[in-house]
Amino acid sequence: MGIRFLFWALICATASLLLNFLSAIIKGRINRKKSVGFFHPYTNDGGGGERVLWCAVKAFQEVNSNLDCIIYTGDHDASPESLLTRAIDRFGVKLLHPPQVVHLYKRKWIEEGTYPRFTMVGQSFGSVYLCWEALCKHTPLVYIDTSGYAFTYPLARVFGCKVLCYTHYPTISSDMVSRVRQRDPMYNNDPLIAKSIWLSRCKVIYYTLFSWMYGFVGSCAHLAVVNSSWTQAHIVKLWGIPRHTKRIYPPCDTKGLQELSLERSINTPTIISVAQFRPEKAHTLQLEAFSVAIKKLGPGSPRPKLQFVGSCRNQEDEQRLQKLKEKAIELNVEKDVEFYRNLLYRDLVRLLGGAIAGIHSMVDEHFGISIVEYMAAGAIPIGGYLS
């Protein structure tokens, strides 16, 4: 009797969830607004992705000033006015009018700290839950993902939205699978797994299955815009929609940088590194290389300075920045290294104007806005460990 009751209770609960799911979708499709929704959970990431976001919003406003631009964000302090100001101060992008804001409260489900294991698949499915919250609150005619959450595309289509995306970097690529197969330790391949042939084989299977899922959800996009030929090649291979995949290089503000003076101080040569404080940017490698270079200086040589400029999206990024500061102390170069977090755009320009060189060390860099900025500002770009 108890098992039968439990069985029927399970059926009723499942039916109730299914009805609520269908009801929310029908309601969303009926109440779709004449608007463009930008799914960008971190409007404080400060990287090239956020620059693309504001340039895209501005472009839509210029095409149709009456079209509402909605920003789905997990930053609870974000307001239309603060985002308008941020676009100007951080990126020099002047919007025609403030965007509308839809606050999301389930962002923890895309935080890497929520998933100690199977982080990639956890964040991907977590983004679906976050997207559900977004579309239930406001269903636009056009849904645009500017942060690389491809698993949200089927859900957006179910809600009746036209799905567009700007993809900076594929969530998974054949290069990542190859490194696991070759057992190369890296930020996304723990040394413990790399040392084990069986764990590596299991991870290859996991990556292969995830690649198939990523290809399926990505193919649900009506239009996929990518930022480089490197990304385009991977996305075409994975998503299989070459006719709907277009390449548009990310916006780089080079005009103001080209006006900077080429005269730089030689008393304290400055090397700058501009990148978000994320694991794939390999800041520790830069710090170690700088330490080695310092030790090789002659007695009369001017002592250089290394400036790290980047943004922190969340607590994990803050911890990486703190570990980088501790690493500088460990290498005994803390007096020669400066850290700048979440700078205003005018302050970044000022620092670029004083640098003789700019360093960048991400493996398989898809585009590298900072490299373009280095060249425009007259700083010699140094690409370390690029493949």
Side-chain angles (χ1 to χ4, degrees):
M1 184 71 178
I3 295 177
R4 184 180 298 176
F5 175 79
L6 182 62
F7 176 73
W8 282 109
L10 183 62
I11 289 179
C12 291
T14 303
S16 177
L17 287 173
L18 183 60
L19 286 173
N20 289 335
F21 177 77
L22 292 175
S23 175
I25 290 175
I26 293 171
K27 182 180 178 182
R29 292 179 71 100
I30 293 175
N31 297 323
R32 275 181 301 170
K33 304 294 192 299
K34 187 180 178 182
S35 61
V36 179
F38 293 87
F39 190 72
H40 201 99
Y42 296 96
T43 46
N44 64 345
D45 59 14
E50 190 182 346
R51 179 188 291 275
V52 167
L53 168 67
W54 299 128
C55 288
V57 171
K58 182 181 179 181
F60 273 95
Q61 290 180 346
E62 290 176 343
V63 170
N64 187 347
S65 60
N66 295 321
L67 189 66
D68 292 331
C69 290
I70 313 298
I71 309 296
Y72 299 110
T73 176
D75 299 316
H76 301 157
D77 58 344
S79 66
E81 292 71 24
S82 68
L83 292 183
L84 177 72
T85 302
R86 180 179 177 81
I88 298 174
D89 290 345
R90 295 296 300 274
F91 301 99
V93 179
K94 188 174 182 180
L95 304 180
L96 273 62
H97 48 79
Q100 296 184 28
V101 176
V102 172
H103 290 109
L104 306 178
Y105 296 91
K106 311 295 184 183
R107 195 173 69 178
K108 71 174 184 177
W109 296 108
I110 63 169
E111 298 279 358
E112 59 184 272
T114 306
Y115 310 98
R117 294 289 181 269
F118 301 101
T119 307
M120 188 167 57
V121 70
Q123 288 180 298
S124 296
F125 283 108
S127 69
V128 179
Y129 186 41
L130 188 64
C131 180
W132 172 264
E133 179 190 4
L135 295 177
C136 284
K137 289 182 174 180
H138 182 102
T139 308
L141 288 178
V142 181
Y143 170 89
I144 302 180
D145 165 44
T146 49
S147 296
Y149 293 105
F151 277 69
T152 65
Y153 305 166
L155 182 62
R157 289 196 69 150
V158 168
F159 269 85
C161 306
K162 288 290 184 181
V163 179
L164 283 66
C165 66
Y166 191 96
T167 303
H168 304 267
Y169 199 82
T171 303
I172 191 167
S173 66
S174 57
D175 297 326
M176 293 170 62
V177 179
S178 296
R179 290 194 185 97
V180 175
R181 186 176 285 113
Q182 295 167 9
R183 297 167 61 189
D184 293 334
M186 206 178 175
Y187 66 89
N188 64 333
N189 193 31
D190 191 280
L192 179 65
I193 294 177
K195 291 177 181 178
S196 170
I197 185 171
W198 293 107
L199 289 177
S200 294
R201 286 178 178 176
C202 289
K203 190 164 185 177
V204 168
I205 295 173
Y206 162 54
Y207 269 16
T208 302
L209 291 173
F210 186 83
S211 295
W212 179 85
M213 290 189 293
Y214 183 64
F216 169 75
V217 297
S219 67
C220 293
H222 291 94
L223 176 64
V225 180
V226 297
N227 70 339
S228 66
S229 56
W230 185 93
T231 303
Q232 185 175 21
H234 284 281
I235 290 300
V236 167
K237 182 178 179 180
L238 289 163
W239 293 3
I241 51 172
R243 293 181 59 187
H244 302 285
T245 304
K246 307 298 180 182
R247 181 171 72 242
I248 300 178
Y249 292 111
C252 300
D253 181 18
T254 60
K255 184 178 179 181
L257 295 174
Q258 291 179 63
E259 296 175 355
L260 294 172
S261 172
L262 294 179
E263 294 183 6
R264 308 291 157 92
S265 172
I266 58 174
N267 296 324
T268 306
T270 301
I271 303 171
I272 193 169
S273 171
V274 182
Q276 292 172 294
F277 291 107
R278 301 170 66 167
E280 63 267 27
K281 300 302 182 180
H283 288 100
T284 303
L285 177 65
Q286 298 177 14
L287 198 57
E288 291 172 345
F290 181 72
S291 174
V292 171
I294 287 286
K295 293 175 182 177
K296 292 184 177 181
L297 288 175
S301 301
R303 199 169 179 89
K305 178 169 58 177
L306 176 60
Q307 296 176 330
F308 286 107
V309 182
S311 58
C312 294
R313 303 162 298 167
N314 48 37
Q315 188 61 35
E316 285 79 12
D317 288 354
E318 296 282 0
Q319 291 172 357
R320 290 188 191 98
L321 175 57
Q322 182 57 38
K323 287 181 180 179
L324 201 61
K325 293 178 179 179
E326 294 170 0
K327 186 68 175 180
I329 296 174
E330 178 187 328
L331 295 172
N332 198 30
V333 293
E334 70 275 13
K335 295 181 180 179
D336 305 300
V337 180
E338 297 175 351
F339 297 91
Y340 297 91
R341 172 182 168 275
N342 299 336
L343 275 187
L344 296 178
Y345 181 68
R346 61 175 178 270
D347 295 327
L348 170 61
V349 172
R350 176 179 55 81
L351 292 179
L352 285 169
I356 64 167
I359 189 170
H360 191 81
S361 55
M362 179 177 171
V363 176
D364 291 333
E365 175 57 88
H366 39 124
F367 182 81
I369 290 178
S370 60
I371 296 175
V372 177
E373 291 177 335
Y374 297 159
M375 292 188 289
I380 301 171
I382 303 173
Y385 198 48
L386 295 175
S387 65

